[in-house]
């Protein structure tokens, strides 16, 4: 009944599109009156040096001179060039674009000086019925159904699709006009290409009076670099809803150029939909058929995303898979948590972010205690098909300008590792220099309430002690002496401790972070980090790292005949006559949000326990390709690859059973039609204790109906 109701609502909303088409003609009468009173411009002003020095446009957003209108294909081809560009509140260039900024940029490079905001752009061009839309037309939307204002604009590309800068998705992307969200908010369309290239805005970014629009055309002066003007700087940060400020959960773009997660990820579309996924899989040493009933919700206004999935498995061939019966029961609350794949509010890097998911990683501050901690790294199950109660991790970040909090829980249903961090900026409210305003002090606390303690002689399910409590506490001071648009440099100092079994160990680290856009337009970005550490005998830097769930019961060792020990046992038994030195390095490269490549290496020295040798040397490499649009279409390809090698002395052998401890995850997704997608994933985990090679793989097809 719910499905039938949603379909009926979908059809009813589509029937209203035509009747709502010209509603927006009367929405902006006040805007028209204001224009008539304030934009009486003369042709001479357009060509005067005064206009060139006070126009709202930046020098990198100048209007290209053109005598004839472009073709629709030229508009669409240029709009496609900006796919994946991050959404930035008030953004007007390649570093970040908002919805009207994208329209402005595309049309400016084709000879049109359009107004700044969507409301003003709605006053330009020829009103066009929805049944007569052609590529290049502008489509406009209200902030809510039946609202009386224009707050969003996109570029129609044909086949019922538009390219627009989506604040909720955080990037320039494709969306369909018949999605329920946009159907209910559709306000009208305008055809700009029916006008000759020229100036259609005032120096302040408003719509020029209709009688004046064709009085001037662009010349070489207009095509030249336009000077910035502090008096009009507010126009550049003006959002399309005018009086509203940027929501805290929507990010103001800063190129991170690093991986958000260090374990497996899921490749899914951000839309409201329901569907069925069918796949064939190899899990452990068995094979069979899997089915997942899926449902998802995505909020375009607030970036609230909910992914639910009910997985089922057919009888498997081959060896019976371990814990299959337990995985299929629904007797306890933890079993019902299997239907939650992800609940997310906001965007990574925003002032407010919440994530409850199965592929979440946690970092507190600069990571002195918890760095890329990934509970599901050890899981032998693929996250798309959660048949066992894998960890449902919780991450929360909030930044309130002068202070903020971070928290992470490894499993909401049966938490064992919990962490929290509080930071504040002591000089942000003072009348101080920008250098001091970047200073940040923070304190982080992490606890493992059931840290296992064992060596090989005691390791079995009945004798392992898991009632030990381990505490990690760190204090950090950070400052950014350089904090420019294209180059950001930060340095930090951390002091931390580990307390366990009536012992306490101490350590310290100093690090440098560099983030930079490699070119003026910001398409390419890099992130570099280097850290040196000094540790006492009973301290390991970033103790809760990506491999902690693997190491807590069995850390890798050099010799094959060495016995396995837990990480807590190692910490309790190794001895050192002098402080140990360590190093952490990572480098990331990113092209917008489409392509990411990164590598991280850490070496905190070696440890000797009872004449057996253990290394704290890890390597992580990732490749992330998201929403690679196929030529001249909205079809997308996404790829993800992650490789983790822990506790190694030598990187050879590579991907063989002779390797000590390796982890490999790969996934792909191809959206080859509106309703169907093809996907696959593979996971390899070589256990450092028994050298057992676990390999899971799945290939699936998803049928999805978008609301």
């Amino acid at each position: 009944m719910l499905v039938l109701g949603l379909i009926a609502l979908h059809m009813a909303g589509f029937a209203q599109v035509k009747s709502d088409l010209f509603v927006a003609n009367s929405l902006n009468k006040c805007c028209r009156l204001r224009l008539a009173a304030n934009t009486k411009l003369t042709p001479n002003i357009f060509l005067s040096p005064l206009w060139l020095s006070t126009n709202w446009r930046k020098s990198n957003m100048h209007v290209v001179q053109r005598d004839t209108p472009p073709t629709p294909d030229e508009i669409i081809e240029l709009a496609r060039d900006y796919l994946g560009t991050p959404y930035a509140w008030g953004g007007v260039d390649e570093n970040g674009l908002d919805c009207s900024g994208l329209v402005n940029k595309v049309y400016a490079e084709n000879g049109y000086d359009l107004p700044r905001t969507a409301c003003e752009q709605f006053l330009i061009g020829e009103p066009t019925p929805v049944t007569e839309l052609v590529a290049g037309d502008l489509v406009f939307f209200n902030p809510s159904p039946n609202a009386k204002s224009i707050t969003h604009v996109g570029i129609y590309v044909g086949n019922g699709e538009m390219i627009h800068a989506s604040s909720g998705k955080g990037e320039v992307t494709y969306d369909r006009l018949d999605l329920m969200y946009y159907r209910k908010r559709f306000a009208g369309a305008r055809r700009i290409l029916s006008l000759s290239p020229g100036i259609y805005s005032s120096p302040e970014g408003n719509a020029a009076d209709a009688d004046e629009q064709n009085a001037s055309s662009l010349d070489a002066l207009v095509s030249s670099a336009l000077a910035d003007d502090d008096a009009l700087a507010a126009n550049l940060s003006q959002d399309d809803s005018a009086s509203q400020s940027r929501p805290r959960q929507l990010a103001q773009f800063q190129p991170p150029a690093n991986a958000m997660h260090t374990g497996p990820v899921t490749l899914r579309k951000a839309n409201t939909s329901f569907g069925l996924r069918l796949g064939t899989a190899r899990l452990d040493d068995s094979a069979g058929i899997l089915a997942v009933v899926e449902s998802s919700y995505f909020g375009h206004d607030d970036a609230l995303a909910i992914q639910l999935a009910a997985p089922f498995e057919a009888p498997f061939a081959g060896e019976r898979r371990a814990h299959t019966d337990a995985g299929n029961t629904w007797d306890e609350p933890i079993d019902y948590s299997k239907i939650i794949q992800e609940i997310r509010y906001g965007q990574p890097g925003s002032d407010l972010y919440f994530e409850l998911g199965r592929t979440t990683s946690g970092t507190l501050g600069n990571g002195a205690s918890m760095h890329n901690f990934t509970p599901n790294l050890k899981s032998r199950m693929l996250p798309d098909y959660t048949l066992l109660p894998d960890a449902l991790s919780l991450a929360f970040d909030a930044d309130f300008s002068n202070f903020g909090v971070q928290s992470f829980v490894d499993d909401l249903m049966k938490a064992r590792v919990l962490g929290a961090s509080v930071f504040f900026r002591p000089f942000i409210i003072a009348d101080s220099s920008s250098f001091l305003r970047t200073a940040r002090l923070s304190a982080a606390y992490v606890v493992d309430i059931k840290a296992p303690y064992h060596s090989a002689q005691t390791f079995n399910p009945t004798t392992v002690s898991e009632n030990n409590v381990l505490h990690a506490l760190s204090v950090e001071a950070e400052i950014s002496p350089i904090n420019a648009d294209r180059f950001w440099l930060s340095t930090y100092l951390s002091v931390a401790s580990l307390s366990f079994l009536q012992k306490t160990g101490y350590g310290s680290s100093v690090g440098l972070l560099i983030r930079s856009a490699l070119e003026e337009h910001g398409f390419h970005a890099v992130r570099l980090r280097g850290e040196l550490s000094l540790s006492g005998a009973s301290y390991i830097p970033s103790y809760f790292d990506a491999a902690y769930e693997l190491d807590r019961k069995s850390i890798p060792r050099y010799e094959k005949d060495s016995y396995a020990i837990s990480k807590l046992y190692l910490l309790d038994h190794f001895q050192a006559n002098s402080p140990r030195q360590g190093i952490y390095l990572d480098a990331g490269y990113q092209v917008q949000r489409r392509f990411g490549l990164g590598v991280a290496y850490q070496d905190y020295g070696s440890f000797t326990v009872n004449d057996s040798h253990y290394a704290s040397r890890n390597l992580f490499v990732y490749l992330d390709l998201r929403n690679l649009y196929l030529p001249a279409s909205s079809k997308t390809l996404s790829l993800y690859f992650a490789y983790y090698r822990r506790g190694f002395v030598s990187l050879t052998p590579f991907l063989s059973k002779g390797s000590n401890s390796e982890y490999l995850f790969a996934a792909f997704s191809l959206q080859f039609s509106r309703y169907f997608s093809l996907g696959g994933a593979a996971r390899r985990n070589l256990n450092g204790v028994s050298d057992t090679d676990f390999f899971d793989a799945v290939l699936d097809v998803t049928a999805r109906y978008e609301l």
Side-chain angles (χ1 to χ4, degrees):
M1 294 299 295
L2 177 61
V3 172
L4 293 177
L6 291 173
I7 295 176
L9 183 60
H10 169 81
M11 299 306 296
F14 184 76
Q16 290 182 341
V17 169
K18 290 186 179 180
S19 63
D20 292 342
L21 179 60
F22 294 107
V23 170
N25 285 331
S26 60
L27 296 181
N28 289 279
K29 290 183 179 180
C30 61
C31 191
R32 280 289 191 186
L33 294 173
R34 178 185 55 73
L35 289 171
N38 298 333
T39 59
K40 293 298 183 181
L41 304 174
T42 64
N44 291 334
I45 291 180
F46 282 111
L47 302 179
S48 68
L50 175 63
W51 177 78
L52 291 174
S53 64
T54 60
N55 188 275
W56 68 272
R57 293 180 179 274
K58 285 186 175 181
S59 58
N60 60 354
M61 200 187 179
H62 66 272
V63 183
V64 176
Q65 184 177 7
R66 183 168 184 151
D67 297 327
T68 59
T71 65
D73 288 343
E74 290 179 276
I75 295 292
I76 303 310
E77 183 178 353
L78 185 57
R80 283 178 54 85
D81 288 344
Y82 294 108
L83 287 168
T85 301
Y87 182 93
W89 204 260
V92 293
D93 56 29
E94 292 88 340
N95 288 304
L97 295 164
D98 64 10
C99 64
S100 58
L102 171 67
V103 170
N104 244 298
K105 188 67 175 173
V106 169
Y107 274 88
E109 296 186 29
N110 280 282
Y112 291 87
D113 182 351
L114 296 184
R116 171 65 186 94
T117 66
C119 173
E120 301 288 339
Q121 291 171 358
F122 186 76
L123 305 178
I124 306 299
E126 175 185 344
T128 304
V130 68
T131 55
E132 300 177 11
L133 286 174
V134 298
D137 290 344
L138 301 184
V139 286
F140 296 85
F141 303 91
N142 307 137
S144 60
N146 302 318
K148 304 300 181 182
S149 61
I150 301 291
T151 57
H152 192 65
V153 60
I155 302 174
Y156 186 70
V157 298
N159 298 319
E161 296 179 318
M162 66 173 172
I163 292 177
H164 68 132
S166 169
S167 59
K169 296 181 180 178
E171 64 180 8
V172 178
T173 183
Y174 274 92
D175 265 313
R176 296 193 58 84
L177 293 181
D178 59 0
L179 291 179
M180 182 181 295
Y181 178 88
Y182 294 109
R183 289 199 315 272
K184 298 175 69 174
R185 292 163 174 78
F186 184 74
R190 291 292 186 271
R191 181 162 298 158
I192 303 299
L193 298 184
S194 62
L195 306 175
S196 299
I199 298 172
Y200 298 93
S201 71
S202 71
E204 294 78 20
N206 300 322
D209 186 78
D211 294 334
E212 308 288 351
Q213 286 178 355
N214 295 318
S216 299
S217 60
L218 299 173
D219 59 13
L221 288 176
V222 179
S223 298
S224 65
L226 303 174
D228 293 331
D229 189 323
D230 293 338
L232 296 173
N235 286 291
L236 294 176
S237 60
Q238 178 182 358
D239 65 85
D240 289 335
S241 54
S243 61
Q244 299 180 9
S245 60
R246 175 174 62 89
R248 298 181 56 82
Q249 77 276 11
L250 300 184
Q252 188 164 8
F253 172 68
Q254 290 181 337
N258 65 326
M260 295 305 301
H261 299 309
T262 57
V265 300
T266 56
L267 304 174
R268 302 173 183 269
K269 290 187 63 177
N271 272 325
T272 302
S273 65
F274 60 90
L276 174 66
R277 188 180 335 188
L278 299 174
T280 179
R282 178 190 186 274
L283 301 175
D284 294 344
D285 294 323
S286 57
I289 303 297
L290 297 174
V292 177
V293 179
E294 296 184 329
S295 172
S296 64
Y297 168 80
F298 183 79
H300 295 265
D301 291 326
D302 53 19
L304 172 63
I306 301 175
Q307 299 276 359
L308 304 178
F312 303 93
E313 61 179 338
F316 276 70
E319 295 292 330
R320 185 170 181 81
R321 193 162 59 84
H323 309 298
T324 296
D325 292 335
N328 280 331
T329 60
W330 300 85
D331 300 331
E332 300 179 9
I334 191 173
D335 296 325
Y336 289 93
S337 73
K338 292 185 292 188
I339 68 172
I340 300 176
Q341 293 295 301
E342 181 185 52
I343 299 177
R344 185 183 72 248
Y345 181 74
Q347 298 162 354
S350 61
D351 294 338
L352 184 63
Y353 182 70
F354 170 93
E355 181 179 1
L356 180 65
R358 302 186 180 278
T359 63
T360 308
S361 299
T363 298
L364 298 180
N366 288 301
S369 298
M370 177 180 283
H371 192 183
N372 289 333
F373 175 52
T374 308
N376 268 336
L377 189 67
K378 70 171 184 177
S379 172
R380 291 162 55 185
M381 296 305 304
L382 297 166
D384 280 355
Y385 294 96
T386 306
L387 302 174
L388 297 178
D390 293 350
L392 189 60
S393 303
L394 170 67
F396 175 76
D397 294 340
D399 190 335
F400 300 97
S401 296
N402 58 332
F403 76 97
V405 296
Q406 297 177 313
S407 62
F408 188 85
V409 180
D410 69 332
D411 191 346
L412 192 65
M413 304 303 298
K414 52 174 184 178
R416 297 175 56 153
V417 177
L418 306 91
S421 174
V422 179
F423 64 86
F424 69 98
R425 302 179 179 92
F427 301 106
I428 197 168
I429 59 177
D431 187 16
S432 58
S433 66
S434 58
F435 174 78
L436 291 177
R437 289 171 64 88
T438 64
R440 189 172 95 160
L441 302 177
S442 64
Y445 170 72
V446 188
V447 59
D448 186 342
I449 60 177
K450 291 185 178 181
Y453 184 92
H454 74 86
S455 65
Q457 290 84 352
T458 63
F459 179 53
N460 66 68
T462 61
T463 60
V464 172
S465 172
E466 291 194 349
N467 296 319
N468 307 288
V469 181
L470 184 143
H471 307 269
L473 179 65
S474 61
V475 178
E476 295 182 346
E478 180 180 359
I479 196 166
S480 303
I482 302 178
N483 191 4
D485 290 339
R486 290 181 53 195
F487 187 84
W488 182 82
L489 182 146
S490 176
T491 183
Y492 62 89
L493 173 66
S494 303
V495 178
S497 67
L498 289 172
S499 299
F500 57 96
L501 305 176
Q502 299 181 342
K503 293 183 179 181
T504 301
Y506 299 94
S508 62
S509 59
V510 58
L512 184 70
L513 270 72
I514 296 175
R515 186 173 61 226
S516 176
L518 298 182
E519 58 184 8
E520 181 180 1
H521 298 321
F523 271 87
H524 304 273
V526 296
R527 181 183 185 273
L528 304 173
R529 170 174 170 165
E531 178 182 290
L532 298 176
S533 62
L534 194 64
S535 305
S538 299
Y539 179 82
I540 299 176
S542 300
Y543 186 82
F544 296 92
D545 57 8
Y548 180 70
E549 283 293 339
L550 300 173
D551 290 341
R552 65 192 317 209
K553 284 191 175 181
S554 58
I555 63 174
R557 71 275 189 209
Y558 293 177
E559 303 87 356
K560 292 297 181 182
D561 56 350
S562 298
Y563 56 85
I565 61 175
S566 67
K567 196 169 186 178
L568 181 57
Y569 186 93
L570 168 72
L571 197 65
D572 186 33
H573 282 77
F574 81 83
Q575 297 179 351
N577 296 325
S578 61
R580 303 184 321 278
Q581 296 179 345
I583 187 172
Y584 177 87
L585 301 170
D586 75 38
Y589 168 69
Q590 189 177 78
V591 182
Q592 296 292 18
R593 293 185 180 178
R594 304 185 200 178
F595 173 83
L597 176 65
V599 58
Y601 170 78
Q602 61 183 22
D603 186 353
Y604 298 136
S606 60
F607 312 97
T608 301
V609 177
N610 299 336
D611 297 326
S612 294
H613 304 288
Y614 304 86
S616 183
R617 182 180 297 167
N618 303 318
L619 176 69
F620 173 69
V621 180
Y622 78 92
L623 172 66
D624 194 4
L625 184 64
R626 297 297 180 93
N627 293 333
L628 177 64
Y629 290 93
L630 303 182
S633 76
S634 58
K635 299 179 177 63
T636 59
L637 174 67
S638 297
L639 299 170
Y640 177 80
F641 170 86
Y643 172 77
Y644 200 95
R645 181 75 174 268
R646 81 190 217 272
F648 66 90
V649 177
S650 172
L651 286 175
T652 58
F654 178 75
L655 292 180
S656 71
K657 289 189 177 182
S659 301
N660 196 21
S661 182
E662 288 181 308
Y663 165 88
L664 176 67
F665 183 86
F668 82 95
S669 175
L670 174 61
Q671 186 76 29
F672 56 86
S673 78
R674 177 184 175 187
Y675 301 104
F676 295 96
S677 62
L678 177 68
R683 180 200 301 265
R684 181 183 187 273
N685 182 13
L686 182 61
N687 190 298
V689 178
S690 61
D691 294 334
T692 302
D693 190 5
F694 298 117
F695 179 76
D696 299 338
V698 64
L699 182 67
D700 60 54
V701 176
T702 302
R704 181 185 296 107
Y705 182 76
E706 297 178 355
L707 298 180

